[in-house]
Amino acid sequence: MTLTNFAAQRAKFNREAILSATPAALLTMLYDRLLLDLGRAEAAQQREDWDAARENLLHAQDIVAELSGSLDLDAWTGARDMFSLYTYVNGLLITANINRNISHTQESIAVLGPLREAWHHAAESAAADRPVVAANGTLGIG
């Protein structure tokens, strides 16, 4: 298998994983990628690779915009607070990028890291509470 073929297969696998993911899985995937981007941005800022930092910070901003845009502000009491938090983090990311301010990137990681863990825990708990249904429609237990 060539490197190009491998990359195409990997992209296809990732696309199919996203398309078949539950809403909880999509949310955790977004948080995983968000923290990956922020970690990469921080590392790039430390080595003063401003192009790489900018690229990762902009992608992180895109994810934060997706997260805040997908919030149903009337669905739960904490939604407006979450929206405010996303707005705050977006501001941090903008200034981290414009001013090359690593402390704002680090603050974003400190704010979003625990949220990532909480969403992962919630998704795992929700999955554990659902019964497993076999292909024939019966519960897959016993």
Side-chain angles (χ1 to χ4, degrees), residues 5-122:
N5 193 17
F6 177 75
Q9 289 296 322
R10 181 176 174 187
K12 180 181 176 187
F13 174 80
N14 288 339
R15 187 172 43 258
E16 289 173 6
I18 290 169
L19 292 174
S20 64
T22 65
L26 285 173
L27 182 65
T28 58
M29 285 181 204
L30 283 171
Y31 266 93
D32 289 345
R33 181 55 198 253
L34 177 56
L35 271 294
L36 177 66
D37 287 340
L38 292 174
R40 288 176 175 172
E42 179 186 24
Q45 287 172 315
Q46 287 173 344
R47 64 178 186 275
E48 297 184 1
D49 182 351
W50 305 117
D51 288 335
R54 182 185 72 251
E55 180 181 324
N56 284 285
L57 288 167
L58 288 174
H59 194 255
Q61 283 177 255
D62 289 342
I63 294 171
V64 171
E66 179 65 30
L67 290 168
S68 64
S70 66
L71 275 176
D72 180 350
L73 298 178
D74 298 320
W76 57 291
T77 57
R80 293 191 187 282
D81 292 333
M82 186 67 76
F83 184 81
S84 295
L85 184 72
Y86 289 148
T87 301
Y88 174 73
V89 168
N90 191 56
L92 287 174
L93 296 177
I94 290 169
T95 57
N97 199 3
I98 292 171
N99 299 328
R100 298 179 172 177
N101 187 328
I102 193 170
S103 67
H104 286 187
T105 304
Q106 292 166 334
E107 184 176 350
S108 298
I109 293 168
V111 168
L112 295 170
L115 280 174
R116 176 193 173 274
E117 296 305 315
W119 285 120
H120 271 278
H121 180 69

